Amino acid sequence: MPDIIEITDFSAPELDIYARLTEVQLLNREFPEKGMFIAESPKVIERALDAGYEPVSVLVEKKHIEGEAREVLERLGDIPVFAAEFDVLKELTGFPLTRGLLCAMKRKPLLSTEEICAGAQRIAVLEDVMNPTNVGAIIRSAAALKIEAVLLTEGCSNPLYRRAIRVSMGTVFQVPWTFAEENWQENLKKLGFKTAAMALCEDTICIDDERLGKEEKLAIVLGTEGEGLREKTIADCDYTVKIPMANGVDSLNVAAASAVAFWELRKK
């Protein structure tokens, strides 16, 4: 068990990374090699460790040191472990921490589209999905429903934002993902992928169209929560696909739509 450093004051500088740095500051776009993120809960932290992410420090509620956090703490090696009572930590989040454990970790360099798509037959592409909750939920569905990689455009929320990590239950460390180049559609076609735009257009095919299931390599393209995919993106895709709706409902939330699409279009 590493040495424990007790924190009694919310203003302690040791808490800056957890309490006062924004997601953008943690991301550190100017020096991405110094970027960090915060993982929360023992299960999520263990998934990050299993994926090779390097821990920097830990913040733990004291009562969990010998409880749910013990096994994770034993894996972390010689890094600072800051411990505080609940009354100090509740100022940090406004609500109890998930199982009383946070871990600051270093980001990894992003892989290329070619690297994360190598050997994949079903991938997802997210265009301008800005809500981190939706990004996390989509990646969780991808992990559960055999989607082998996720590409994100620059307008998407980062999958390593704390809320996205939490909602994904740590599957952001299991499903390969990266931010795509501007010409991602051209690159995917060079890699042999057909592209299927999920859109509410008139000229569409149904999601259970047998042509989709027969494609050897298929990229499922999902758009932003409000406006959906860009017109040019839809025009450049090989298929435009719609999920049939009933009872006057016009569409599903993008995270819910992704789960339906991943299930129906997975490689059978």
Side-chain angles (χ1 to χ4, degrees), residues 43-53 75 108 173-174:
K43 178 181 287 188
V44 170
I45 294 168
E46 284 191 309
R47 284 180 171 168
L49 292 171
D50 291 343
Y53 285 89
R75 289 187 61 182
K108 292 181 179 181
F173 307 120
Q174 297 175 305

Side-chain angles (χ1 to χ4, degrees), residues 12 26 29 38 69 95-96 99 113 140 163 180 183 201 242 248:
L26 288 170
R29 290 185 185 276
I38 305 296
F95 53 87
R99 307 212 175 182
T113 296
R140 184 174 180 179
R163 182 174 293 278
N183 60 337
C201 302
K242 183 187 289 186

